[in-house]
């Protein structure tokens, strides 16, 4: 087991939002195993974890003033499974990947005085249930002094929910729906050559030039480009 701590702080001086928020603390528990098999041709690393969160700091938006601020949302928890595998089935070939399942949610309701509402079992903002990554790299011996490599990586991030919301202008009433950030994936490619102490590397990130929503109200980030 281990523990973590995040300092508190201050918000805007605007009287419509809380001026201060408290520190939050975590108590972390993890158990796992790892090993090499088939004469180091296969390695596996697996773990189970549980995080108990007290006085969770969350970013919220006051629907009436449209001011964003940080507050303490009570208790939360995060538990999950992580598995990573690396294989070298042939000379110069490496296949690696990892997958994570995570359940990060409130473990008690928000205090009733908060303008934003969160309830026991609600998913934490920007946490995905599933994420994963798989990569393949092949080393090539071109001549006695010249070698090269080619490879690619595919990554996946599951859907996420945005910040907790309040009841809107019609308070009291139901909370406004939270923003949904759809799942996304991207493919990266790379290649290069090496000669003695010299190397030339080329890569293309986000081959399909996809866009995905990451954070913020309607904010998107384009993950792409090449060099």
């Amino acid at each position: 087991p281990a523990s973590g701590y995040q300092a508190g702080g201050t918000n805007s001086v605007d009287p419509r939002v809380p001026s201060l928020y408290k520190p939050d603390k975590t108590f972390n528990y993890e158990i796992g195993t790892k090993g090499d098999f088939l004469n180091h041709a296969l390695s596996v690393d697996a773990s189970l974890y549980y995080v108990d969160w007290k006085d969770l700091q969350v970013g919220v938006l006051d629907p009436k003033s449209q001011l964003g601020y940080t507050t303490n949302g009570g208790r939360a928890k995060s538990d999950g499974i992580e598995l990573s595998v690396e294989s070298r089935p042939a000379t110069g070939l490496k296949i690696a990947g990892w997958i994570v399942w995570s359940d990060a949610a409130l473990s008690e309701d928000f205090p009733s005085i908060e303008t934003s509402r969160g309830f026991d079992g609600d998913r934490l903002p920007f946490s995905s249930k599933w994420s994963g990554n798989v990569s393949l790299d092949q080393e090539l011996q071109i001549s006695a002094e010249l070698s090269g490599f080619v490879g690619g990586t595919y990554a996946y991030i599951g859907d996420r929910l945005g910040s907790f919301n309040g009841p809107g202008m019609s308070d009291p009433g139901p909370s406004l729906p939270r923003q949904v950030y759809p799942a996304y994936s991207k493919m990266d490619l790379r290649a290069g050559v090496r000669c003695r102490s010299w190397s030339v590397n080329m890569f293309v990130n986000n081959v399909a030039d996809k866009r995905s929503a990451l954070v913020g109200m309607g904010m998107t980030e384009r993950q792409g480009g090449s060099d």
Side-chain angles (χ1 to χ4, degrees), residues 81-97:
I81 303 171
E82 299 178 344
L83 173 65
S84 64
V85 178
E86 181 177 299
S87 174
R88 298 180 180 270
T91 302
L93 176 62
K94 182 177 75 171
I95 303 172

Side-chain angles (χ1 to χ4, degrees), residues 13-147:
V13 295
D14 193 298
R16 291 173 291 181
V17 302
S19 59
L20 301 172
Y21 56 94
K22 299 185 295 184
D24 64 8
K25 298 178 181 179
T26 63
F27 297 92
N28 315 311
Y29 307 88
E30 184 173 358
I31 184 171
T33 183
K34 65 170 106 175
D36 292 322
F37 308 94
L38 304 176
N39 196 26
H40 305 293
L42 176 67
S43 63
V44 177
D45 189 347
S47 63
L48 303 172
Y49 67 87
Y50 176 81
V51 179
D52 182 18
W53 219 323
K54 181 180 179 182
D55 293 323
L56 171 72
Q57 293 179 10
V58 291
V60 296
L61 179 71
D62 181 2
K64 294 183 179 180
S65 66
Q66 291 298 299
L67 292 173
Y69 64 96
T70 301
T71 187
N72 296 96
R75 300 186 77 98
K77 59 89 179 178
S78 177
D79 54 68
I81 303 171
E82 299 178 344
L83 173 65
S84 64
V85 178
E86 181 177 299
S87 174
R88 298 180 180 270
T91 302
L93 176 62
K94 182 177 75 171
I95 303 172
W98 55 262
I99 188 169
V100 176
W101 176 83
S102 177
D103 183 20
L106 297 177
S107 52
E108 66 179 20
D109 296 350
F110 274 7
S112 59
I113 60 173
E114 296 297 346
T115 58
S116 289
R117 295 176 179 172
F119 301 97
D120 185 7
D122 286 352
R123 282 172 62 183
L124 296 186
F126 310 110
S127 63
S128 61
K129 290 277 190 180
W130 291 97
S131 59
N133 174 301
V134 62
S135 65
L136 185 150
D137 289 278
Q138 176 68 61
E139 293 278 347
L140 305 167
Q141 194 65 43
I142 302 171
S143 68
E145 295 185 343
L146 187 65
S147 64

